[in-house]
PDB file of all heavy atoms in Angstrom:
ATOM      1  N   GLN H   2      25.181 -10.219  11.441  1.00 78.00           N
ATOM      2  CA  GLN H   2      23.925 -10.660  12.020  1.00 78.00           C
ATOM      3  C   GLN H   2      24.001 -10.758  13.537  1.00 78.00           C
ATOM      4  O   GLN H   2      23.044 -10.431  14.241  1.00 78.00           O
ATOM      5  CB  GLN H   2      23.540 -12.026  11.439  1.00 78.00           C
ATOM      6  CG  GLN H   2      22.865 -11.963  10.098  1.00 78.00           C
ATOM      7  CD  GLN H   2      21.417 -11.512  10.214  1.00 78.00           C
ATOM      8  OE1 GLN H   2      20.843 -11.484  11.279  1.00 78.00           O
ATOM      9  NE2 GLN H   2      20.849 -11.124   9.089  1.00 78.00           N
ATOM     10  N   VAL H   3      25.133 -11.193  14.041  1.00 76.00           N
ATOM     11  CA  VAL H   3      25.251 -11.375  15.491  1.00 76.00           C
ATOM     12  C   VAL H   3      25.152 -10.042  16.209  1.00 76.00           C
ATOM     13  O   VAL H   3      24.591  -9.941  17.304  1.00 76.00           O
ATOM     14  CB  VAL H   3      26.563 -12.119  15.851  1.00 76.00           C
ATOM     15  CG1 VAL H   3      27.786 -11.249  15.575  1.00 76.00           C
ATOM     16  CG2 VAL H   3      26.539 -12.584  17.303  1.00 76.00           C
ATOM     17  N   ASP H   4      25.659  -8.973  15.594  1.00 80.00           N
ATOM     18  CA  ASP H   4      25.543  -7.653  16.201  1.00 80.00           C
ATOM     19  C   ASP H   4      24.100  -7.156  16.170  1.00 80.00           C
ATOM     20  O   ASP H   4      23.630  -6.520  17.121  1.00 80.00           O
ATOM     21  CB  ASP H   4      26.451  -6.650  15.472  1.00 80.00           C
ATOM     22  CG  ASP H   4      27.926  -6.877  15.781  1.00 80.00           C
ATOM     23  OD1 ASP H   4      28.216  -7.506  16.816  1.00 80.00           O
ATOM     24  OD2 ASP H   4      28.768  -6.440  14.986  1.00 80.00           O
ATOM     25  N   ARG H   5      23.406  -7.441  15.072  1.00 81.00           N
ATOM     26  CA  ARG H   5      21.995  -7.034  14.989  1.00 81.00           C
ATOM     27  C   ARG H   5      21.182  -7.711  16.091  1.00 81.00           C
ATOM     28  O   ARG H   5      20.371  -7.084  16.769  1.00 81.00           O
ATOM     29  CB  ARG H   5      21.411  -7.389  13.623  1.00 81.00           C
ATOM     30  CG  ARG H   5      22.046  -6.664  12.458  1.00 81.00           C
ATOM     31  CD  ARG H   5      21.300  -6.980  11.169  1.00 81.00           C
ATOM     32  NE  ARG H   5      22.025  -6.511   9.995  1.00 81.00           N
ATOM     33  CZ  ARG H   5      21.545  -6.527   8.775  1.00 81.00           C
ATOM     34  NH1 ARG H   5      20.331  -6.999   8.548  1.00 81.00           N
ATOM     35  NH2 ARG H   5      22.256  -6.086   7.754  1.00 81.00           N
ATOM     36  N   GLY H   6      21.400  -9.020  16.236  1.00 77.00           N
ATOM     37  CA  GLY H   6      20.672  -9.756  17.257  1.00 77.00           C
ATOM     38  C   GLY H   6      21.010  -9.295  18.660  1.00 77.00           C
ATOM     39  O   GLY H   6      20.132  -9.119  19.503  1.00 77.00           O
ATOM     40  N   ALA H   7      22.297  -9.091  18.909  1.00 78.00           N
ATOM     41  CA  ALA H   7      22.719  -8.655  20.241  1.00 78.00           C
ATOM     42  C   ALA H   7      22.187  -7.258  20.558  1.00 78.00           C
ATOM     43  O   ALA H   7      21.794  -6.972  21.690  1.00 78.00           O
ATOM     44  CB  ALA H   7      24.243  -8.672  20.326  1.00 78.00           C
ATOM     45  N   LEU H   8      22.190  -6.380  19.563  1.00 83.00           N
ATOM     46  CA  LEU H   8      21.635  -5.040  19.756  1.00 83.00           C
ATOM     47  C   LEU H   8      20.164  -5.100  20.142  1.00 83.00           C
ATOM     48  O   LEU H   8      19.709  -4.402  21.061  1.00 83.00           O
ATOM     49  CB  LEU H   8      21.794  -4.219  18.478  1.00 83.00           C
ATOM     50  CG  LEU H   8      23.098  -3.443  18.298  1.00 83.00           C
ATOM     51  CD1 LEU H   8      23.206  -2.926  16.870  1.00 83.00           C
ATOM     52  CD2 LEU H   8      23.166  -2.274  19.277  1.00 83.00           C
ATOM     53  N   MET H   9      19.403  -5.912  19.428  1.00 81.00           N
ATOM     54  CA  MET H   9      17.988  -6.035  19.716  1.00 81.00           C
ATOM     55  C   MET H   9      17.764  -6.568  21.130  1.00 81.00           C
ATOM     56  O   MET H   9      16.880  -6.108  21.860  1.00 81.00           O
ATOM     57  CB  MET H   9      17.322  -6.970  18.696  1.00 81.00           C
ATOM     58  CG  MET H   9      17.271  -6.431  17.285  1.00 81.00           C
ATOM     59  SD  MET H   9      16.080  -5.093  17.074  1.00 81.00           S
ATOM     60  CE  MET H   9      14.552  -6.022  17.068  1.00 81.00           C
ATOM     61  N   SER H  10      18.580  -7.545  21.532  1.00 76.00           N
ATOM     62  CA  SER H  10      18.426  -8.117  22.853  1.00 76.00           C
ATOM     63  C   SER H  10      18.863  -7.137  23.940  1.00 76.00           C
ATOM     64  O   SER H  10      18.186  -6.961  24.952  1.00 76.00           O
ATOM     65  CB  SER H  10      19.251  -9.409  22.941  1.00 76.00           C
ATOM     66  OG  SER H  10      19.075 -10.008  24.203  1.00 76.00           O
ATOM     67  N   ARG H  11      19.990  -6.488  23.721  1.00 78.00           N
ATOM     68  CA  ARG H  11      20.498  -5.509  24.696  1.00 78.00           C
ATOM     69  C   ARG H  11      19.507  -4.358  24.868  1.00 78.00           C
ATOM     70  O   ARG H  11      19.342  -3.812  25.969  1.00 78.00           O
ATOM     71  CB  ARG H  11      21.847  -4.961  24.202  1.00 78.00           C
ATOM     72  CG  ARG H  11      22.474  -3.919  25.132  1.00 78.00           C
ATOM     73  CD  ARG H  11      23.076  -4.571  26.352  1.00 78.00           C
ATOM     74  NE  ARG H  11      23.718  -3.566  27.209  1.00 78.00           N
ATOM     75  CZ  ARG H  11      23.142  -3.050  28.305  1.00 78.00           C
ATOM     76  NH1 ARG H  11      21.936  -3.437  28.682  1.00 78.00           N
ATOM     77  NH2 ARG H  11      23.784  -2.155  29.040  1.00 78.00           N
ATOM     78  N   TYR H  12      18.827  -4.030  23.826  1.00 80.00           N
ATOM     79  CA  TYR H  12      17.824  -2.964  23.771  1.00 80.00           C
ATOM     80  C   TYR H  12      16.766  -3.135  24.863  1.00 80.00           C
ATOM     81  O   TYR H  12      16.255  -2.164  25.422  1.00 80.00           O
ATOM     82  CB  TYR H  12      17.164  -3.049  22.395  1.00 80.00           C
ATOM     83  CG  TYR H  12      16.479  -1.819  21.862  1.00 80.00           C
ATOM     84  CD1 TYR H  12      16.913  -0.536  22.174  1.00 80.00           C
ATOM     85  CD2 TYR H  12      15.398  -1.968  21.004  1.00 80.00           C
ATOM     86  CE1 TYR H  12      16.276   0.569  21.635  1.00 80.00           C
ATOM     87  CE2 TYR H  12      14.761  -0.872  20.453  1.00 80.00           C
ATOM     88  CZ  TYR H  12      15.208   0.402  20.777  1.00 80.00           C
ATOM     89  OH  TYR H  12      14.581   1.498  20.239  1.00 80.00           O
ATOM     90  N   SER H  13      16.434  -4.411  25.157  1.00 75.00           N
ATOM     91  CA  SER H  13      15.365  -4.688  26.112  1.00 75.00           C
ATOM     92  C   SER H  13      15.838  -4.621  27.554  1.00 75.00           C
ATOM     93  O   SER H  13      15.028  -4.754  28.472  1.00 75.00           O
ATOM     94  CB  SER H  13      14.770  -6.079  25.837  1.00 75.00           C
ATOM     95  OG  SER H  13      15.727  -7.089  26.119  1.00 75.00           O
ATOM     96  N   ARG H  14      17.136  -4.404  27.771  1.00 75.00           N
ATOM     97  CA  ARG H  14      17.688  -4.437  29.127  1.00 75.00           C
ATOM     98  C   ARG H  14      18.355  -3.125  29.524  1.00 75.00           C
ATOM     99  O   ARG H  14      19.187  -3.096  30.418  1.00 75.00           O
ATOM    100  CB  ARG H  14      18.685  -5.604  29.250  1.00 75.00           C
ATOM    101  CG  ARG H  14      18.018  -6.963  29.052  1.00 75.00           C
ATOM    102  CD  ARG H  14      19.025  -8.099  28.992  1.00 75.00           C
ATOM    103  NE  ARG H  14      18.345  -9.362  28.723  1.00 75.00           N
ATOM    104  CZ  ARG H  14      17.950 -10.205  29.669  1.00 75.00           C
ATOM    105  NH1 ARG H  14      18.146  -9.916  30.932  1.00 75.00           N
ATOM    106  NH2 ARG H  14      17.343 -11.336  29.341  1.00 75.00           N
ATOM    107  N   THR H  15      17.991  -2.049  28.828  1.00 83.00           N
ATOM    108  CA  THR H  15      18.542  -0.734  29.156  1.00 83.00           C
ATOM    109  C   THR H  15      17.582   0.341  28.680  1.00 83.00           C
ATOM    110  O   THR H  15      16.743   0.087  27.808  1.00 83.00           O
ATOM    111  CB  THR H  15      19.910  -0.527  28.482  1.00 83.00           C
ATOM    112  OG1 THR H  15      20.398   0.792  28.789  1.00 83.00           O
ATOM    113  CG2 THR H  15      19.824  -0.686  26.990  1.00 83.00           C
ATOM    114  N   ASP H  16      17.690   1.527  29.259  1.00 85.00           N
ATOM    115  CA  ASP H  16      16.843   2.624  28.788  1.00 85.00           C
ATOM    116  C   ASP H  16      17.559   3.491  27.760  1.00 85.00           C
ATOM    117  O   ASP H  16      17.050   4.514  27.321  1.00 85.00           O
ATOM    118  CB  ASP H  16      16.365   3.491  29.961  1.00 85.00           C
ATOM    119  CG  ASP H  16      17.525   4.128  30.736  1.00 85.00           C
ATOM    120  OD1 ASP H  16      18.693   3.879  30.375  1.00 85.00           O
ATOM    121  OD2 ASP H  16      17.233   4.877  31.687  1.00 85.00           O
ATOM    122  N   LYS H  17      18.758   3.070  27.335  1.00 88.00           N
ATOM    123  CA  LYS H  17      19.468   3.787  26.274  1.00 88.00           C
ATOM    124  C   LYS H  17      18.781   3.571  24.933  1.00 88.00           C
ATOM    125  O   LYS H  17      18.111   2.559  24.719  1.00 88.00           O
ATOM    126  CB  LYS H  17      20.912   3.277  26.149  1.00 88.00           C
ATOM    127  CG  LYS H  17      21.835   3.598  27.305  1.00 88.00           C
ATOM    128  CD  LYS H  17      23.230   3.052  26.989  1.00 88.00           C
ATOM    129  CE  LYS H  17      24.217   3.318  28.111  1.00 88.00           C
ATOM    130  NZ  LYS H  17      25.565   2.775  27.787  1.00 88.00           N
ATOM    131  N   SER H  18      18.980   4.495  24.015  1.00 90.00           N
ATOM    132  CA  SER H  18      18.522   4.279  22.648  1.00 90.00           C
ATOM    133  C   SER H  18      19.439   3.260  21.977  1.00 90.00           C
ATOM    134  O   SER H  18      20.590   3.073  22.393  1.00 90.00           O
ATOM    135  CB  SER H  18      18.537   5.585  21.854  1.00 90.00           C
ATOM    136  OG  SER H  18      19.870   5.998  21.615  1.00 90.00           O
ATOM    137  N   MET H  19      18.965   2.599  20.932  1.00 91.00           N
ATOM    138  CA  MET H  19      19.772   1.562  20.293  1.00 91.00           C
ATOM    139  C   MET H  19      21.040   2.118  19.687  1.00 91.00           C
ATOM    140  O   MET H  19      22.117   1.516  19.793  1.00 91.00           O
ATOM    141  CB  MET H  19      18.958   0.833  19.218  1.00 91.00           C
ATOM    142  CG  MET H  19      19.738  -0.294  18.554  1.00 91.00           C
ATOM    143  SD  MET H  19      18.806  -1.208  17.325  1.00 91.00           S
ATOM    144  CE  MET H  19      17.656  -2.089  18.357  1.00 91.00           C
ATOM    145  N   ARG H  20      20.943   3.262  19.055  1.00 92.00           N
ATOM    146  CA  ARG H  20      22.144   3.834  18.436  1.00 92.00           C
ATOM    147  C   ARG H  20      23.156   4.263  19.489  1.00 92.00           C
ATOM    148  O   ARG H  20      24.364   4.172  19.270  1.00 92.00           O
ATOM    149  CB  ARG H  20      21.739   4.990  17.514  1.00 92.00           C
ATOM    150  CG  ARG H  20      21.019   4.509  16.250  1.00 92.00           C
ATOM    151  CD  ARG H  20      20.358   5.599  15.460  1.00 92.00           C
ATOM    152  NE  ARG H  20      19.287   6.266  16.199  1.00 92.00           N
ATOM    153  CZ  ARG H  20      18.295   6.940  15.637  1.00 92.00           C
ATOM    154  NH1 ARG H  20      18.221   7.050  14.318  1.00 92.00           N
ATOM    155  NH2 ARG H  20      17.373   7.521  16.378  1.00 92.00           N
ATOM    156  N   ARG H  21      22.680   4.690  20.661  1.00 92.00           N
ATOM    157  CA  ARG H  21      23.590   5.020  21.762  1.00 92.00           C
ATOM    158  C   ARG H  21      24.265   3.761  22.279  1.00 92.00           C
ATOM    159  O   ARG H  21      25.464   3.753  22.570  1.00 92.00           O
ATOM    160  CB  ARG H  21      22.813   5.728  22.875  1.00 92.00           C
ATOM    161  CG  ARG H  21      23.648   5.998  24.141  1.00 92.00           C
ATOM    162  CD  ARG H  21      24.902   6.805  23.849  1.00 92.00           C
ATOM    163  NE  ARG H  21      24.556   8.131  23.309  1.00 92.00           N
ATOM    164  CZ  ARG H  21      25.461   8.956  22.777  1.00 92.00           C
ATOM    165  NH1 ARG H  21      26.734   8.566  22.670  1.00 92.00           N
ATOM    166  NH2 ARG H  21      25.098  10.129  22.316  1.00 92.00           N
ATOM    167  N   ILE H  22      23.492   2.666  22.384  1.00 89.00           N
ATOM    168  CA  ILE H  22      24.087   1.385  22.798  1.00 89.00           C
ATOM    169  C   ILE H  22      25.211   1.009  21.845  1.00 89.00           C
ATOM    170  O   ILE H  22      26.299   0.583  22.268  1.00 89.00           O
ATOM    171  CB  ILE H  22      23.018   0.274  22.806  1.00 89.00           C
ATOM    172  CG1 ILE H  22      21.951   0.534  23.855  1.00 89.00           C
ATOM    173  CG2 ILE H  22      23.665  -1.096  23.047  1.00 89.00           C
ATOM    174  CD1 ILE H  22      20.745  -0.395  23.738  1.00 89.00           C
ATOM    175  N   PHE H  23      24.958   1.170  20.549  1.00 90.00           N
ATOM    176  CA  PHE H  23      25.959   0.800  19.553  1.00 90.00           C
ATOM    177  C   PHE H  23      27.234   1.622  19.721  1.00 90.00           C
ATOM    178  O   PHE H  23      28.349   1.073  19.714  1.00 90.00           O
ATOM    179  CB  PHE H  23      25.393   0.984  18.147  1.00 90.00           C
ATOM    180  CG  PHE H  23      26.331   0.535  17.062  1.00 90.00           C
ATOM    181  CD1 PHE H  23      26.437  -0.807  16.729  1.00 90.00           C
ATOM    182  CD2 PHE H  23      27.142   1.447  16.399  1.00 90.00           C
ATOM    183  CE1 PHE H  23      27.314  -1.237  15.747  1.00 90.00           C
ATOM    184  CE2 PHE H  23      28.026   1.030  15.414  1.00 90.00           C
ATOM    185  CZ  PHE H  23      28.112  -0.319  15.090  1.00 90.00           C
ATOM    186  N   LEU H  24      27.102   2.919  19.900  1.00 92.00           N
ATOM    187  CA  LEU H  24      28.277   3.782  20.059  1.00 92.00           C
ATOM    188  C   LEU H  24      29.029   3.464  21.346  1.00 92.00           C
ATOM    189  O   LEU H  24      30.261   3.393  21.357  1.00 92.00           O
ATOM    190  CB  LEU H  24      27.847   5.252  20.061  1.00 92.00           C
ATOM    191  CG  LEU H  24      27.351   5.821  18.733  1.00 92.00           C
ATOM    192  CD1 LEU H  24      26.777   7.218  18.945  1.00 92.00           C
ATOM    193  CD2 LEU H  24      28.470   5.865  17.700  1.00 92.00           C
ATOM    194  N   ASP H  25      28.291   3.240  22.419  1.00 89.00           N
ATOM    195  CA  ASP H  25      28.928   3.042  23.729  1.00 89.00           C
ATOM    196  C   ASP H  25      29.510   1.652  23.915  1.00 89.00           C
ATOM    197  O   ASP H  25      30.559   1.491  24.563  1.00 89.00           O
ATOM    198  CB  ASP H  25      27.913   3.298  24.851  1.00 89.00           C
ATOM    199  CG  ASP H  25      27.491   4.752  24.944  1.00 89.00           C
ATOM    200  OD1 ASP H  25      28.110   5.600  24.259  1.00 89.00           O
ATOM    201  OD2 ASP H  25      26.527   5.039  25.681  1.00 89.00           O
ATOM    202  N   GLU H  26      28.861   0.631  23.345  1.00 85.00           N
ATOM    203  CA  GLU H  26      29.216  -0.733  23.715  1.00 85.00           C
ATOM    204  C   GLU H  26      29.690  -1.620  22.567  1.00 85.00           C
ATOM    205  O   GLU H  26      30.347  -2.629  22.806  1.00 85.00           O
ATOM    206  CB  GLU H  26      28.014  -1.404  24.400  1.00 85.00           C
ATOM    207  CG  GLU H  26      27.516  -0.638  25.617  1.00 85.00           C
ATOM    208  CD  GLU H  26      26.281  -1.280  26.236  1.00 85.00           C
ATOM    209  OE1 GLU H  26      26.063  -2.493  25.985  1.00 85.00           O
ATOM    210  OE2 GLU H  26      25.554  -0.594  26.967  1.00 85.00           O
ATOM    211  N   PHE H  27      29.342  -1.292  21.326  1.00 85.00           N
ATOM    212  CA  PHE H  27      29.628  -2.185  20.209  1.00 85.00           C
ATOM    213  C   PHE H  27      30.715  -1.670  19.271  1.00 85.00           C
ATOM    214  O   PHE H  27      31.494  -2.461  18.741  1.00 85.00           O
ATOM    215  CB  PHE H  27      28.355  -2.447  19.396  1.00 85.00           C
ATOM    216  CG  PHE H  27      27.411  -3.403  20.042  1.00 85.00           C
ATOM    217  CD1 PHE H  27      26.620  -2.996  21.112  1.00 85.00           C
ATOM    218  CD2 PHE H  27      27.290  -4.706  19.601  1.00 85.00           C
ATOM    219  CE1 PHE H  27      25.743  -3.868  21.717  1.00 85.00           C
ATOM    220  CE2 PHE H  27      26.421  -5.591  20.203  1.00 85.00           C
ATOM    221  CZ  PHE H  27      25.638  -5.172  21.270  1.00 85.00           C
TER     222      PHE H  27
END
């Protein structure tokens, strides 16, 4: 759950796609 929440929040602070954020940062 913490990753889901963090992904959603991080999503609003970058122009990357969510799945790209996950691959690059999580």
